[in-house]
Amino acid sequence: MLKAAIFDMDGLLVDSEPFWQRAQVEVFSSLGVTISQQETLATMGLRIDHIVDLWFERQPWQGPNCAEVNTLIIKRVEALVQEHQPMLPGVREAIQACQELDLKVALASSSPMSLIHATLDALALTDAFSALFSAEHLRFGKPHPEVYLNAADALGVSPHECVAFEDSLNGLLAVKAARMKGIAVPEAHLSADLRWSIADKKLNSLLEVNKELILSL
């Protein structure tokens, strides 16, 4: 029986993936790195410091170090989220459905905690979650399950008593590696990928979340 629901943030609650793509292209290009928006899709769901390290290995730059570049990208995304406040459809309804089933509702994101707080504040969702978890300082980010396992431990539930909502394949891999139920909500242009088959449910948006769907898991 499910006891907790854990939500990813970027691309699931907030349409911030375009902002991450834009920030990466802007910052990396300013350093002389040749990168396209299409190339950023391959690293969706990964922790930003891992992405920065990856591009430094491919195309080393002069000037700011990786930690400084990491900060530049995060600050740019924070500014874009606060400016545009792009909450995705069905967020409040999905959270409410979980709360009505008396599930503990938490958030587990690859984003740093500063961006989590900035985003939830911009979307007026600060009070929607009983606990927040970031993979920022963990040894491994998604697709490793560490952030999800830590969330289950902190909530006092077993992983198999959790359902997690994800929009990225890397995030879904983390969910399933943690032995949780996984609901995938991919972007429409990525929805045909056969790898989504590992999800327990695949939805078009969070508007499709209801109590009956959760109870069917």
Side-chain angles (χ1 to χ4, degrees), residues 8-30:
D8 176 46
M9 185 178 74
D10 293 291
L12 182 79
L13 306 183
V14 57
D15 189 17
S16 55
E17 292 299 349
F19 298 157
W20 281 106
Q21 295 162 20
R22 175 176 167 182
Q24 288 176 59
V25 171
E26 287 180 1
V27 173
F28 286 133
S29 296
S30 73

Side-chain angles (χ1 to χ4, degrees), residues 7 17 20 40-41 49 60 71 73 86 89 98 101 115 122-123 138 140 143 172 175 189 210:
F7 289 79
E17 292 299 349
W20 281 106
T40 67
L41 297 178
D49 59 318
T71 299
I73 294 173
C98 294
L101 290 172
L115 180 56
L123 303 183
L138 300 183
F140 302 107
L172 182 60
V175 170
H189 69 284
N210 53 50

Side-chain angles (χ1 to χ4, degrees), residues 1 133 142-143 175 187 204:
M1 185 174 179
F133 303 93
K142 299 174 186 180
V175 170
E187 292 185 45
N204 295 311

Side-chain angles (χ1 to χ4, degrees), residues 167 185-193 196 202-204:
D167 72 294
V185 192
E187 292 185 45
H189 69 284
L190 301 174
S191 185
D193 194 314
W196 294 115
K202 187 178 77 169
L203 310 178
N204 295 311

Side-chain angles (χ1 to χ4, degrees), residues 115-134:
L115 180 56
I116 291 174
H117 285 300
T119 300
L120 296 184
D121 181 63
L123 303 183
L125 288 174
T126 300
D127 297 327
F129 300 96
S130 60
L132 307 175
F133 303 93
S134 168

Side-chain angles (χ1 to χ4, degrees), residues 7-96:
F7 289 79
D8 176 46
M9 185 178 74
D10 293 291
L12 182 79
L13 306 183
V14 57
D15 189 17
S16 55
E17 292 299 349
F19 298 157
W20 281 106
Q21 295 162 20
R22 175 176 167 182
Q24 288 176 59
V25 171
E26 287 180 1
V27 173
F28 286 133
S29 296
S30 73
L31 298 170
V33 174
T34 302
I35 179 176
S36 68
Q37 184 170 331
Q38 184 65 28
E39 287 175 302
T40 67
L41 297 178
T43 54
M44 277 181 59
L46 296 184
R47 215 166 62 189
I48 188 60
D49 59 318
H50 291 171
I51 296 173
V52 172
D53 290 344
L54 175 67
W55 280 102
F56 186 75
E57 290 176 7
R58 293 178 179 176
Q59 301 182 51
W61 56 79
Q62 301 295 320
N65 61 34
C66 287
E68 291 168 334
V69 172
N70 185 62
T71 299
L72 288 172
I73 294 173
I74 291 169
K75 292 300 182 184
R76 182 62 177 135
V77 175
E78 285 183 11
L80 289 168
V81 168
Q82 290 173 330
E83 177 184 353
H84 296 283
Q85 303 176 5
M87 184 160 63
L88 286 162
V91 170
R92 296 189 188 280
E93 293 86 347
I95 293 171
Q96 183 177 348

